[in-house]
Amino acid sequence: MILLAAVDLAVMTPAVLREARAWTRRLSAHLYILHVADPDPDFIGYGAGPESVRLAVAHKFTRAHGQIEEAARELRKEGLDVTALLVQGATAESILREANRLSADVILMGTRARGAMRELIVGSVSKAVIRESTRPILLVPHRDAP
């Protein structure tokens, strides 16, 4: 069994990783921890732009990769089979693409919708993944969610 846990490296990450840990252990699954870095419309590739911009983008990706690798290391210490992935692109589309590429059996992700009645229960990324996915999705709600 393959689980894909999409993390935002922010408020929802601990809750998603707690659920991912429990499900991975229960199902003896392989867990992929995925973080999707935002696409940067002003900076494509490393061939253009001033060096300071290239260094800032490289630092951002290095920091994000380090965070998901650290999470994966901690889970591996518990005997779990875990791989960390960092990709860049539109969030929902990238989650769906990676789930298909990995043949994930389940996608785990957080929802931290805000306002307008909690964006009618789930956030825009969650909605897009739910709308387009052919795979089961486990949504982990934000603690403040009703």
Side-chain angles (χ1 to χ4, degrees), residues 7-14 67 112:
V7 297
D8 62 1
L9 298 180
V11 68
M12 288 304 304
T13 297
Q67 288 177 282
R112 58 179 180 168

Side-chain angles (χ1 to χ4, degrees), residues 28-49:
S28 299
H30 181 89
L31 173 63
Y32 288 91
I33 301 172
L34 172 68
H35 175 66
V36 180
D38 293 329
D40 188 343
D42 297 327
F43 181 77
I44 305 297
Y46 285 89

Side-chain angles (χ1 to χ4, degrees), residues 36-93:
V36 180
D38 293 329
D40 188 343
D42 297 327
F43 181 77
I44 305 297
Y46 285 89
E51 184 176 358
S52 62
V53 172
R54 292 193 308 270
L55 290 174
V57 170
H59 178 70
K60 176 182 161 184
F61 290 144
T62 300
R63 188 176 61 244
H65 189 257
Q67 288 177 282
I68 60 172
E69 278 296 339
E70 178 59 28
R73 266 192 300 278
E74 290 301 314
L75 293 172
R76 282 188 215 112
K77 285 180 187 176
E78 298 175 24
L80 301 178
D81 187 13
V82 183
T83 303
L85 299 172
L86 173 68
V87 299
Q88 183 181 23
T91 306
E93 292 85 353

